Amino acid sequence: MTEHSAQNPKKLFIKTYGCQMNVYDSDRMVDALVPHGYVETRDQDDADLVLVNTCHIREKATEKLFSDLGRLKKLRDARAAEGKQTMIGVAGCVAQAEGDEILARAPGVDLVFGPQSYHRLPQMLDAARSDRIVDTEFPEEDKFAHLPRASKQATISRGYTAFLTVQEGCDKFCSFCVVPYTRGAEVSRPVAQVLEEARNLAAAGVREITLLGQNVNAYHGVDDKGRAVGLGKLLHILSEIDGLDRLRYTTSHPRDMDDALIKAHRDLDTLMPYLHLPVQSGSDRILKAMNRRHTRDDYLRLIDRIRAARPDIALSGDFITGFPGESDADFADTMKIVREVGYASAFSFKYSPRPGTPGAELDDQVEEQVSTDRLAELQALIREQQVAFNQSCVGQSFDVLLEKPGRQPGQLGGRSPYLQAVHLDADSDLIGTIQRVHITGVGSNSLNGELVAKNPEISVTLQHGRESVAATRT
Ligand code: SAH
Ligand code: SF4
Ligand code: F3S
């Protein structure tokens, strides 16, 4: 694309919906387009190319796309009246599931492409100048092997924490879920590829990496000898990287928490004591109908083993209310399992029937109002547990990764090992360092603390890492 020079770059705006994997993919789309003369902008009205990276998980998420596309069509027309061309692309899971329908319903859209083919974006954009296109294939080639690496500056401008997708797709086929259809079969990236990306992130100054996968604990990437390596082993390998102080992973399925992974929680200081382990329901009958392939007791025993390995681990989960056939007694079992486990935080959703999933075909769909009421009750309990967990941290001291300026002048914001937001007064030169913080109080969704003592060793290393920082993306 010769018409865009470095002096006159094309502006790219990306709006991202959905899970962390979409956030990761959006950054990689930027990386794919930068060598072709694009720069990212935060101003949609000024963009030559607008990409919407979509989520199909619940109906609400999907609806948002069509209202966005209506607005984008107007923007495109307004810019055209000023003699400016705007291209509009739809990426992600709605694109994968409803590619042709998007083109039919949204006349302003130039290209639609799924989560597995965005490494071809530059070529797709060229082709879309003459013809509207849909690319929702699951290509033979590995997209990761074809994506350019982000520069150090671009990497650290995204923050001191980074996502790294190690596994994609899902073979579990929970009966409510579209992911196996939108993201395809489970695939793990080879160890060497993950290691290289993690080293590059660390070399740019990133301190914390969250490994991502729709079902990340099913990771089984091959090593150089062609042997499959599980997530526990991968975490051991990554924890050897200099400068990388914190590792996390999400999202996990209870059936794939193997012994090596549980032991990694016991043995690795770099692995943060926080685990997102969704159970969805506390009722065996509903778990079976959901095709989760484990019982409530399996889950509770698993939690016992994880807590035995890492007693201070904080747990998080996902829950669905109103799955077809859910009775008052089933819902009471969900409330009971939440009480039994005690979560530090959790996400909960009203069941949304998704086209093409077995759940959507079931007869006894639960009345909307019943589902809504159950959700409110569940969320109140989860909130209560979250407040109690945060309260229990007051008076403790722990290491906080200081990530960005805080809300008030003179304040910084960071994350505790348990993923809580922490605010404290500290100099901005400590951004990007890990400091010991004494927790003094709780805010509505965060903790307040004060520096115990400045940790000089870490800040020196990091100052070096920060030399190339242009701006912190918040
Ligand atoms: N792979 C992850 C979850 C991916 S989707 C796992 O297995 O845990 C994230 C969450 O969205 C799910 O855990 C579930 O709670 C929720 N979800 C998925 N499909 C849904 C649907 N049809 N209706 C409501 N919530 C849903
Ligand atoms: Fe969806 Fe179940 Fe796979 Fe999670 S494990 S992505 S909920 S099918
Ligand atoms: Fe949504 Fe696709 Fe993620 S459906 S939750 S963006 S995998």
Side-chain angles (χ1 to χ4, degrees), residues 17-19 21-22 54-57 93 178-179 182-183 214:
Y17 291 107
C19 61
M21 303 202 59
N22 264 13
T54 59
C55 174
H56 200 47
I57 203 84
C93 292
V178 291
V179 169
T182 61
R183 293 271 174 169
Q214 264 86 29

Side-chain angles (χ1 to χ4, degrees), residues 382-449:
I382 289 168
R383 177 81 196 141
E384 204 178 283
Q385 293 194 338
Q386 188 179 11
V387 168
F389 178 72
N390 287 345
Q391 203 72 52
S392 74
C393 295
V394 176
Q396 293 190 45
S397 295
F398 31 65
D399 290 343
V400 172
L401 171 56
L402 300 173
E403 291 174 50
K404 56 189 176 193
R407 281 184 226 126
Q408 314 290 337
Q411 259 196 354
L412 299 184
R415 292 268 167 192
S416 77
Y418 311 108
L419 211 59
Q420 298 142 299
V422 183
H423 300 287
L424 62 148
D425 290 338
D427 291 345
S428 61
D429 67 347
L430 291 184
I431 292 179
T433 72
I434 295 172
Q435 300 290 341
R436 198 83 186 152
V437 173
H438 181 72
I439 303 303
T440 52
V442 291
S444 59
N445 264 318
S446 59
L447 304 177
N448 302 318

Side-chain angles (χ1 to χ4, degrees), residues 307-452:
R307 281 186 165 144
R310 181 76 206 219
D312 71 331
I313 201 154
L315 292 163
S316 146
D318 289 342
F319 294 90
I320 295 176
T321 63
F323 185 80
E326 186 186 70
S327 65
D328 285 342
D330 293 320
F331 177 64
D333 282 344
T334 296
M335 294 292 284
K336 197 160 150 244
I337 204 169
V338 173
R339 285 198 192 90
E340 277 170 43
V341 172
Y343 289 93
S345 71
F347 303 91
S348 46
F349 314 96
K350 238 189 318 183
Y351 172 67
S352 168
R354 304 308 290 130
T357 61
E361 306 297 315
L362 295 173
D363 289 336
D364 39 1
Q365 300 286 330
V366 171
E367 232 175 88
E368 175 85 21
Q369 191 56 50
V370 172
S371 195
T372 306
D373 292 347
R374 287 177 185 164
L375 184 70
E377 202 180 327
L378 176 61
Q379 287 185 338
L381 175 60
I382 289 168
R383 177 81 196 141
E384 204 178 283
Q385 293 194 338
Q386 188 179 11
V387 168
F389 178 72
N390 287 345
Q391 203 72 52
S392 74
C393 295
V394 176
Q396 293 190 45
S397 295
F398 31 65
D399 290 343
V400 172
L401 171 56
L402 300 173
E403 291 174 50
K404 56 189 176 193
R407 281 184 226 126
Q408 314 290 337
Q411 259 196 354
L412 299 184
R415 292 268 167 192
S416 77
Y418 311 108
L419 211 59
Q420 298 142 299
V422 183
H423 300 287
L424 62 148
D425 290 338
D427 291 345
S428 61
D429 67 347
L430 291 184
I431 292 179
T433 72
I434 295 172
Q435 300 290 341
R436 198 83 186 152
V437 173
H438 181 72
I439 303 303
T440 52
V442 291
S444 59
N445 264 318
S446 59
L447 304 177
N448 302 318
E450 51 196 34
L451 277 183
V452 172

